[in-house]
């Protein structure tokens, strides 16, 4: 892409021209998705030189990925979901990304709500893109009232029958509900969508006035120095955040960042975690 063929950064508005990676075959960490025709792989990663956000650009048709193809490629079927769920839930706590995530969410919620009256018990959490539902499984065990949402029917059924959590099967952009939640979580979801800001804006419709949004995304800024095969840059991530682009996304959605943390997970993934609330 040259200076006559640029696009504008969704987060800071700067022209994006800097190509950092080019792929003619999938990176080693990428799962084989059915929508990719053999031998026709072509993809590029661009980086905004102002805010550091990464964009994955390609012309392969991945529109229907989350209506079946994602689960097919990752877990094969409902039995595969159940087995992976059991394996992750049985991990030693020190080796589980999910245990660390739950500890972080519980500690921050406890800190944030302390002193807010009247006390509410139990608190309500909506997890968008619940997938294996390991997050809500643990949140439920700490007394939270949980609702799972996933566009794949097998993930929804898994949440209800194996995890015992009420679940909704839909794209979050089509979600309709009269309830307001104390906490809405996006655990490794925003990097999968084309317009993460629109998704965060929509979440405000379902948030209590003093509610929290938790965001967890891959940290492209750290991962980039480890090369193009890193899992943060796979084809299912059209958006890969930097610390600053995550702040800009939160602000553009009319939210206020309260806390942002950069970590490396026990699984070795590089991650950015953020808590935010409605900016009034
Ligand atoms: Zn930018």
């Amino acid at each position: 892409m040259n200076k006559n063929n640029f696009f504008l950064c969704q987060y800071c508005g700067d022209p994006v021209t800097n190509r950092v990676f080019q792929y003619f075959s999938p990176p080693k960490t990428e799962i084989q998705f059915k929508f990719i025709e053999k031998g026709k792989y072509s993809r590029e990663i661009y980086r905004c030189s102002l805010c550091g956000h990464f964009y994955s650009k390609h012309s392969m048709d991945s529109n229907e990925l989350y209506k079946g193809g994602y689960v097919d490629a990752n877990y094969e079927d409902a039995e595969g979901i159940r087995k992976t769920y059991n394996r992750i839930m049985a991990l030693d706590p020190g080796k589980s990304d999910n245990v660390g995530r739950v500890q972080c969410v519980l500690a921050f919620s406890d800190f944030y709500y302390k002193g807010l009256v009247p006390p509410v018990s139990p608190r309500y959490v909506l997890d968008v893109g619940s997938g294996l539902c390991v997050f809500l499984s643990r949140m439920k065990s700490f007394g939270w009232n949980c609702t799972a949402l996933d566009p794949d029917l097998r993930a929804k059924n898994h949440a209800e029958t194996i995890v015992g959590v009420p679940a909704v099967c839909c794209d979050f952009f089509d979600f309709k509900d009269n309830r307001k939640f104390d906490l809405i979580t996006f655990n490794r979801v925003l990097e999968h969508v084309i317009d993460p800001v629109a998704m965060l804006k929509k979440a405000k419709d379902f948030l209590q006035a003093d509610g929290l949004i938790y965001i967890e995304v891959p940290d492209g800024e750290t991962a980039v120095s480890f090369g193009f095969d890193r899992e943060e840059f796979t084809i299912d991530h059209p958006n890969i955040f930097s610390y600053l682009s995550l702040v800009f996304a939160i602000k553009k959605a009319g939210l206020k960042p309260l806390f942002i943390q950069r970590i490396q997970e026990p699984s070795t993934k590089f991650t950015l975690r953020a808590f935010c609330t409605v900016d009034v």
Side-chain angles (χ1 to χ4, degrees):
M1 195 169 288
N2 58 44
K3 280 185 182 154
N4 301 318
N5 189 18
F6 64 86
F7 60 95
L8 295 179
C9 177
Q10 275 177 257
Y11 305 93
C12 72
D14 216 43
V16 181
T17 55
N18 178 27
R19 187 175 68 196
V20 288
F21 298 136
Q22 189 171 22
Y23 302 86
F24 297 105
S25 60
K28 278 182 200 150
T29 44
E30 190 165 295
I31 296 157
Q32 286 249 294
F33 292 110
K34 280 185 190 154
F35 69 87
I36 298 166
E37 279 184 66
K38 260 209 154 76
K40 294 210 170 160
Y41 195 98
S42 177
R43 189 164 66 88
E44 296 169 316
I45 303 274
Y46 287 86
R47 184 177 197 184
C48 173
S49 41
L50 186 61
C51 77
H53 192 81
F54 297 87
Y55 296 87
S56 170
K57 297 283 185 189
H58 67 85
S59 54
M60 297 172 276
D61 181 12
S62 54
N63 285 335
E64 297 297 308
L65 184 57
Y66 299 102
K67 296 198 173 109
Y70 190 76
V71 165
D72 288 348
N74 276 282
Y75 315 116
E76 288 186 16
D77 54 16
E79 179 63 8
I81 295 176
R82 194 182 61 77
K83 278 187 182 160
T84 313
Y85 167 81
N86 286 338
R87 182 178 60 74
I88 291 175
M89 292 302 289
L91 281 175
D92 182 86
K95 292 183 180 158
S96 166
D97 297 356
N98 187 50
V99 167
R101 168 191 298 141
V102 170
Q103 279 172 348
C104 174
V105 168
L106 292 177
F108 192 86
S109 304
D110 193 43
F111 157 78
Y112 177 75
Y113 285 117
K114 205 162 268 179
L116 289 179
V117 286
V120 180
S121 185
R123 292 209 174 263
Y124 287 74
V125 54
L126 169 69
D127 187 37
V128 179
S130 55
L132 296 171
C133 212
V134 290
F135 173 68
L136 289 186
S137 180
R138 289 207 182 271
M139 291 298 282
K140 184 182 160 207
S141 73
F142 285 98
W144 283 67
N145 184 305
C146 302
T147 302
L149 183 150
D150 200 283
D152 192 289
L153 186 60
R154 290 161 293 183
K156 181 240 186 206
N157 291 340
H158 163 80
E160 288 183 330
T161 58
I162 305 295
V163 187
V165 163
V168 183
C169 183
C170 73
D171 186 315
F172 184 58
F173 287 110
D174 302 322
F175 181 53
K176 291 185 179 71
D177 202 297
N178 294 325
R179 285 175 295 170
K180 301 276 186 188
F181 296 87
D182 300 294
L183 172 66
I184 299 178
T185 51
F186 295 92
N187 292 315
R188 298 195 160 257
V189 167
L190 297 184
E191 69 273 23
H192 293 273
V193 300
I194 298 294
D195 192 348
V197 172
M199 195 167 235
L200 290 175
K201 278 185 184 163
K202 168 123 186 166
K204 294 194 295 184
D205 298 343
F206 306 100
L207 200 62
Q208 287 284 10
D210 62 349
L212 282 173
I213 293 179
Y214 173 71
I215 300 165
E216 188 179 301
V217 289
D219 170 10
E221 206 165 27
T222 304
V224 70
S225 28
F226 292 84
F228 62 88
D229 270 330
R230 283 287 313 184
E231 64 192 76
E232 287 80 2
F233 298 106
T234 52
I235 192 168
D236 47 330
H237 299 165
N239 278 287
I240 307 124
F241 289 86
S242 67
Y243 192 101
L244 192 54
S245 71
L246 182 58
V247 171
F248 285 168
I250 290 168
K251 297 285 285 177
K252 277 181 89 99
L255 298 165
K256 183 168 62 178
L258 301 173
F259 172 82
I260 301 184
Q261 185 183 37
R262 191 196 291 283
I263 59 158
Q264 186 170 21
E265 310 267 12
S267 65
T268 76
K269 288 177 186 170
F270 295 113
T271 295
L272 288 163
R273 290 168 167 167
F275 290 92
C276 41
T277 190
V278 175
D279 198 4
V280 284

